[in-house]
Coordinates of all heavy atoms in Angstrom, one line a residue:
M1 N 18.9 -36.1 47.0 CA 19.8 -36.2 45.9 C 21.3 -36.2 46.5 O 21.6 -35.4 47.4 CB 19.6 -35.0 45.0 CG 20.3 -35.2 43.6 SD 19.3 -36.2 42.5 CE 17.9 -35.1 42.2
A219 N 23.3 -38.3 42.1 CA 22.8 -39.6 42.1 C 21.5 -39.6 43.0 O 21.4 -38.9 44.0 CB 23.8 -40.6 42.8
F220 N 20.5 -40.3 42.5 CA 19.2 -40.4 43.2 C 19.4 -41.3 44.5 O 20.2 -42.2 44.5 CB 18.1 -41.0 42.3 CG 17.4 -40.0 41.4 CD1 17.8 -39.8 40.1 CD2 16.4 -39.2 42.0 CE1 17.1 -38.9 39.3 CE2 15.7 -38.3 41.2 CZ 16.1 -38.1 39.9
E221 N 18.6 -40.9 45.5 CA 18.5 -41.6 46.7 C 17.0 -41.9 47.0 O 16.1 -41.5 46.3 CB 19.1 -40.8 47.9 CG 20.6 -40.5 47.7 CD 21.2 -39.7 48.8 OE1 20.9 -38.5 48.9 OE2 21.9 -40.3 49.6
M222 N 16.8 -42.7 48.0 CA 15.4 -43.1 48.3 C 14.5 -42.0 48.5 O 13.3 -42.0 48.0 CB 15.4 -44.0 49.6 CG 15.9 -45.4 49.4 SD 14.8 -46.4 48.3 CE 13.4 -46.7 49.5
E223 N 14.9 -40.9 49.1 CA 14.1 -39.7 49.3 C 13.6 -39.1 48.0 O 12.5 -38.4 47.9 CB 14.8 -38.7 50.1 CG 16.0 -38.1 49.4 CD 16.7 -37.1 50.3 OE1 16.7 -37.2 51.5 OE2 17.4 -36.2 49.7
D224 N 14.3 -39.4 46.9 CA 14.0 -38.8 45.6 C 12.8 -39.6 44.9 O 12.4 -39.1 43.8 CB 15.2 -38.8 44.7 CG 16.3 -37.9 45.3 OD1 16.0 -36.7 45.6 OD2 17.4 -38.4 45.4
L225 N 12.4 -40.6 45.5 CA 11.2 -41.3 45.0 C 9.9 -40.4 45.1 O 8.9 -40.7 44.5 CB 10.9 -42.6 45.7 CG 12.0 -43.7 45.4 CD1 11.8 -44.9 46.4 CD2 12.0 -44.2 44.0
R226 N 10.1 -39.3 45.8 CA 9.0 -38.3 45.8 C 8.7 -37.7 44.5 O 7.7 -37.1 44.2 CB 9.3 -37.2 46.8 CG 10.4 -36.3 46.4 CD 10.7 -35.3 47.5 NE 11.7 -34.3 47.1 CZ 13.0 -34.4 47.1 NH1 13.5 -35.6 47.6 NH2 13.8 -33.4 46.7
F227 N 9.7 -37.9 43.6 CA 9.5 -37.3 42.2 C 8.7 -38.2 41.3 O 8.4 -37.9 40.2 CB 10.9 -37.1 41.6 CG 11.7 -36.0 42.2 CD1 12.9 -36.3 42.7 CD2 11.1 -34.7 42.3 CE1 13.7 -35.3 43.3 CE2 11.9 -33.7 42.9 CZ 13.1 -34.0 43.4
L228 N 8.3 -39.4 41.8 CA 7.4 -40.3 41.0 C 6.1 -39.5 40.8 O 5.6 -38.8 41.7 CB 7.1 -41.6 41.8 CG 8.2 -42.7 41.7 CD1 7.8 -43.8 42.7 CD2 8.3 -43.2 40.3
P229 N 5.6 -39.6 39.6 CA 4.3 -38.9 39.3 C 3.2 -39.3 40.3 O 3.0 -40.4 40.6 CB 4.0 -39.4 37.9 CG 5.3 -39.8 37.3 CD 6.1 -40.4 38.4
T404 N 18.5 -37.2 25.6 CA 18.9 -37.7 26.9 C 19.5 -39.1 26.7 O 18.8 -40.0 26.2 CB 17.6 -37.8 27.9 OG1 17.1 -36.4 28.1 CG2 18.0 -38.4 29.2
V406 N 20.9 -42.5 28.1 CA 21.0 -43.5 29.2 C 22.1 -44.5 28.8 O 21.7 -45.5 28.1 CB 19.6 -44.1 29.5 CG1 19.7 -45.1 30.6 CG2 18.6 -43.0 29.8
V414 N 23.1 -41.2 33.1 CA 22.1 -40.5 32.4 C 22.6 -39.1 32.2 O 22.7 -38.3 33.1 CB 20.8 -40.5 33.3 CG1 19.7 -39.7 32.5 CG2 20.3 -41.9 33.5
Y422 N 23.5 -37.7 35.8 CA 23.3 -38.6 36.9 C 24.0 -39.9 36.8 O 24.2 -40.4 35.7 CB 21.8 -38.9 36.9 CG 20.9 -37.7 37.1 CD1 20.5 -37.0 36.0 CD2 20.4 -37.3 38.3 CE1 19.7 -35.9 36.1 CE2 19.5 -36.2 38.4 CZ 19.2 -35.5 37.3 OH 18.4 -34.4 37.4
N424 N 23.8 -43.7 38.4 CA 23.0 -44.5 39.2 C 23.7 -45.4 40.1 O 24.7 -46.1 39.7 CB 22.1 -45.4 38.3 CG 21.1 -46.2 39.1 OD1 20.3 -45.7 39.8 ND2 21.2 -47.5 38.9
S426 N 22.0 -47.7 42.3 CA 21.2 -48.9 42.7 C 21.4 -50.0 41.8 O 22.0 -49.9 40.7 CB 19.7 -48.5 42.7 OG 19.2 -48.2 41.3
L440 N 13.8 -51.9 31.7 CA 14.2 -50.5 31.9 C 13.5 -49.6 30.9 O 12.9 -48.6 31.3 CB 15.7 -50.3 31.8 CG 16.2 -48.9 31.8 CD1 15.8 -48.2 33.1 CD2 17.7 -48.8 31.6
I443 N 9.9 -49.1 31.9 CA 9.8 -48.2 33.0 C 9.9 -46.8 32.7 O 9.1 -45.9 33.0 CB 10.8 -48.6 34.1 CG1 10.5 -50.0 34.7 CG2 10.8 -47.6 35.3 CD1 11.6 -50.5 35.6
I444 N 10.9 -46.5 31.9 CA 11.1 -45.0 31.5 C 9.9 -44.6 30.6 O 9.4 -43.5 30.9 CB 12.4 -44.9 30.7 CG1 13.6 -45.2 31.6 CG2 12.5 -43.5 30.1 CD1 15.0 -45.2 30.8
L447 N 6.9 -43.9 33.0 CA 7.0 -42.6 33.7 C 6.8 -41.4 32.8 O 6.1 -40.4 33.3 CB 8.4 -42.5 34.4 CG 8.7 -43.6 35.4 CD1 10.1 -43.3 36.0 CD2 7.7 -43.6 36.6
A452 N 5.9 -37.4 33.8 CA 7.3 -37.0 34.3 C 8.0 -36.3 33.2 O 7.9 -36.7 32.0 CB 8.0 -38.2 34.8
D453 N 8.8 -35.3 33.5 CA 9.7 -34.7 32.5 C 10.7 -35.7 32.0 O 11.0 -36.7 32.7 CB 10.3 -33.4 32.9 CG 11.2 -33.6 34.1 OD1 12.4 -34.0 33.9 OD2 10.8 -33.4 35.3
T454 N 11.3 -35.5 30.9 CA 12.2 -36.4 30.3 C 13.4 -36.7 31.2 O 13.8 -37.9 31.3 CB 12.8 -35.9 28.9 OG1 11.7 -35.5 28.1 CG2 13.6 -36.9 28.2
E455 N 14.0 -35.7 31.8 CA 15.1 -35.9 32.7 C 14.8 -36.8 33.9 O 15.5 -37.7 34.2 CB 15.6 -34.6 33.1 CG 16.8 -34.6 34.1 CD 17.3 -33.2 34.5 OE1 17.3 -32.3 33.6 OE2 17.8 -33.1 35.6
T456 N 13.7 -36.5 34.5 CA 13.2 -37.2 35.7 C 12.9 -38.7 35.3 O 13.3 -39.6 36.0 CB 12.1 -36.6 36.4 OG1 12.4 -35.2 36.8 CG2 11.6 -37.3 37.6
A457 N 12.2 -38.8 34.2 CA 11.7 -40.2 33.8 C 13.0 -41.1 33.5 O 13.0 -42.2 33.9 CB 10.9 -40.1 32.5
A458 N 14.0 -40.5 32.9 CA 15.2 -41.3 32.6 C 16.0 -41.6 33.8 O 16.3 -42.8 34.1 CB 16.0 -40.6 31.6
A459 N 16.3 -40.6 34.6 CA 17.2 -40.8 35.8 C 16.4 -41.6 36.9 O 17.0 -42.5 37.5 CB 17.7 -39.5 36.3
L460 N 15.2 -41.2 37.1 CA 14.4 -42.0 38.2 C 14.0 -43.4 37.7 O 14.0 -44.3 38.5 CB 13.2 -41.2 38.5 CG 12.3 -41.6 39.7 CD1 13.2 -41.7 41.0 CD2 11.1 -40.7 39.9
G461 N 13.8 -43.5 36.4 CA 13.5 -44.8 35.8 C 14.7 -45.8 36.0 O 14.5 -47.0 36.4
V462 N 15.9 -45.3 35.8 CA 17.1 -46.1 36.0 C 17.2 -46.5 37.4 O 17.6 -47.7 37.8 CB 18.4 -45.4 35.4 CG1 19.6 -46.2 35.9 CG2 18.3 -45.2 33.9
Y463 N 17.0 -45.5 38.3 CA 17.1 -45.8 39.8 C 16.1 -46.8 40.2 O 16.4 -47.7 41.0 CB 17.0 -44.5 40.5 CG 17.1 -44.6 42.0 CD1 18.2 -45.1 42.6 CD2 16.1 -44.2 42.8 CE1 18.4 -45.2 44.0 CE2 16.1 -44.3 44.2 CZ 17.3 -44.8 44.8 OH 17.4 -44.9 46.2
L464 N 14.9 -46.7 39.8 CA 13.8 -47.6 40.1 C 14.1 -49.0 39.6 O 13.8 -50.0 40.3 CB 12.5 -47.0 39.6 CG 11.2 -47.7 40.1 CD1 11.1 -47.6 41.6 CD2 10.0 -47.0 39.5
H465 N 14.6 -49.0 38.4 CA 15.0 -50.3 37.8 C 16.0 -51.1 38.7 O 15.9 -52.2 39.0 CB 15.5 -50.1 36.4 CG 16.0 -51.3 35.6 ND1 17.3 -51.5 35.4 CD2 15.3 -52.3 35.1 CE1 17.4 -52.6 34.6 NE2 16.2 -53.1 34.5
G466 N 17.0 -50.3 39.2 CA 18.0 -50.9 40.0 C 17.4 -51.4 41.4 O 17.7 -52.4 41.9
L467 N 16.5 -50.5 41.9 CA 15.8 -50.9 43.2 C 15.0 -52.2 43.0 O 14.9 -53.0 43.9 CB 15.0 -49.8 43.7 CG 15.7 -48.5 44.2 CD1 14.7 -47.4 44.5 CD2 16.6 -48.8 45.4
S468 N 14.4 -52.3 41.8 CA 13.6 -53.5 41.5 C 14.5 -54.7 41.5 O 14.1 -55.8 42.0 CB 12.9 -53.3 40.1 OG 12.1 -52.2 40.1
L490 N 9.9 -55.0 40.8 CA 9.3 -53.6 40.7 C 8.0 -53.6 41.4 O 7.7 -52.7 42.2 CB 9.2 -53.3 39.2 CG 8.4 -51.9 38.9 CD1 9.2 -50.8 39.6 CD2 8.3 -51.8 37.4
F493 N 8.5 -53.9 45.2 CA 9.1 -52.6 45.8 C 8.1 -51.5 45.9 O 8.0 -50.9 46.9 CB 10.3 -52.2 44.9 CG 10.9 -50.9 45.4 CD1 11.8 -50.9 46.4 CD2 10.5 -49.7 44.9 CE1 12.3 -49.7 47.0 CE2 11.0 -48.5 45.3 CZ 12.0 -48.5 46.4
L499 N 4.0 -47.0 47.0 CA 4.2 -46.0 46.0 C 3.3 -46.3 44.8 O 3.3 -45.6 43.8 CB 5.7 -46.0 45.5 CG 6.7 -45.6 46.5 CD1 8.1 -45.9 46.0 CD2 6.6 -44.1 46.8

Side-chain angles (χ1 to χ4, degrees):
M1 196 81 70
F220 273 99
E221 300 179 285
M222 284 291 288
E223 64 182 28
D224 298 308
L225 292 171
R226 69 183 187 277
F227 293 122
L228 280 170
T404 297
V406 179
V414 178
Y422 301 82
N424 183 58
S426 65
L440 171 61
I443 294 173
I444 294 174
L447 296 181
D453 62 82
T454 305
E455 179 178 326
T456 301
L460 188 57
V462 171
Y463 181 59
L464 190 57
H465 180 247
L467 293 174
S468 304
L490 173 61
F493 176 82
L499 296 169

